[in-house]
Amino acid sequence: MPYIALTEGEGGLATPDIMAGTDGWIRYRTPQLWDHYPYFDVLLARTKGAPSGRIDGSKLSPYRQFHCMDRLLCQGCGTQPAARNPDHPGEVLWVQAERRMNGEPTSATGRTDMPPSCARCALRRCPVLTALGRRLVWVRQAELYGVYADLFPPPKGHVVPEQLVPFHEKRVLSCAVATRLVRDVEQARPASRNVVAELAARQASSCRPCPGAGRA
């Protein structure tokens, strides 16, 4: 399971007592270091505990997901940069599900909350991708688009359930508690599994072992 997934010790996501700041943006009454990811104003959902124990693949860590998505780091291991196409270095490797949960096919382009992958982690087994199919694609353009977030509009009242909020909607972002960072994939084409496997072999021989490589 990927680095961006929560662990059992983190126990899911939480939104502690929230207040409006003097600048109009919401914040927690008891600020902590990881409430924001650097250079992003939006407030992040917190976890209920600390990282420990087995991976819980049902939810993602907001901070770790932001870290990998913003810096184009591998979602599987969290330490390696996403693989680059050796013939076109401007293209980054993404692993996508071929089908949705309802069986409908997915598109290689569009908005995604899943970060890219290094070559080794791209070829590893994942329960979700085993069921839905694994698509390897080279992506040339994937601009930061917005966040998935719960909304806490003033005055304090009914919480608006999670929705996608574009970055240009500053008024909505000011009352958002984000769970995931989203990119808009606009240029993608199939990646050869053989080429990715060759990159994975080079990666294995030229660097320390990938922390995610041993996890099923």
Side-chain angles (χ1 to χ4, degrees):
M1 297 300 294
Y3 163 82
I4 60 174
L6 288 180
T7 63
E8 286 182 339
E10 288 169 299
L13 302 180
T15 51
D17 196 14
I18 290 171
M19 60 178 288
T22 55
D23 57 0
W25 289 69
I26 61 171
R27 62 192 62 187
Y28 296 124
R29 290 189 183 274
T30 55
Q32 294 181 6
L33 181 62
W34 313 112
D35 289 344
H36 298 84
Y37 190 75
Y39 310 115
F40 288 88
D41 292 327
V42 64
L43 193 66
L44 297 182
R46 291 176 178 174
T47 58
K48 298 176 182 178
S52 66
R54 294 184 302 175
I55 295 293
D56 175 6
S58 63
K59 290 185 180 293
L60 304 182
S61 160
Y63 198 94
R64 295 197 295 272
Q65 191 270 355
F66 261 66
H67 182 63
C68 290
M69 186 68 101
D70 177 46
R71 302 192 182 190
L72 295 178
L73 296 175
C74 174
Q75 63 159 297
C77 61
T79 59
Q80 299 293 326
R84 298 276 178 168
N85 187 339
D87 296 323
H88 302 278
E91 296 180 342
V92 176
L93 182 65
W94 245 269
V95 185
Q96 305 172 337
E98 291 183 331
R99 299 182 300 279
R100 304 183 192 279
M101 292 294 185
N102 61 8
E104 294 180 356
T106 61
S107 171
T109 57
R111 290 155 198 158
T112 182
D113 60 355
M114 298 306 294
S117 180
C118 72
R120 293 184 72 188
C121 289
L123 300 176
R124 291 175 50 245
R125 292 185 178 182
C126 168
V128 174
L129 294 177
T130 297
L132 301 179
R134 183 186 303 265
R135 177 195 290 131
L136 303 176
V137 294
W138 294 119
V139 174
R140 178 171 291 276
Q141 184 172 345
E143 299 294 332
L144 290 171
Y145 177 81
V147 296
Y148 280 109
D150 292 326
L151 305 181
F152 294 77
K156 188 173 182 179
H158 180 67
V159 178
V160 180
E162 186 178 74
Q163 60 183 261
L164 180 58
V165 183
F167 280 128
H168 64 263
E169 295 188 4
K170 297 296 184 182
R171 182 184 62 81
V172 183
L173 278 179
S174 69
C175 62
V177 177
T179 57
R180 305 185 306 284
L181 184 59
V182 175
R183 284 184 179 268
D184 190 6
V185 175
E186 297 182 2
Q187 296 183 41
R189 60 193 180 94
S192 164
R193 187 179 181 88
N194 290 337
V195 170
V196 174
E198 195 172 302
L199 289 174
R202 293 181 196 168
Q203 180 181 337
S205 63
S206 64
C207 67
R208 59 187 174 84
C210 172
R215 294 191 232 160

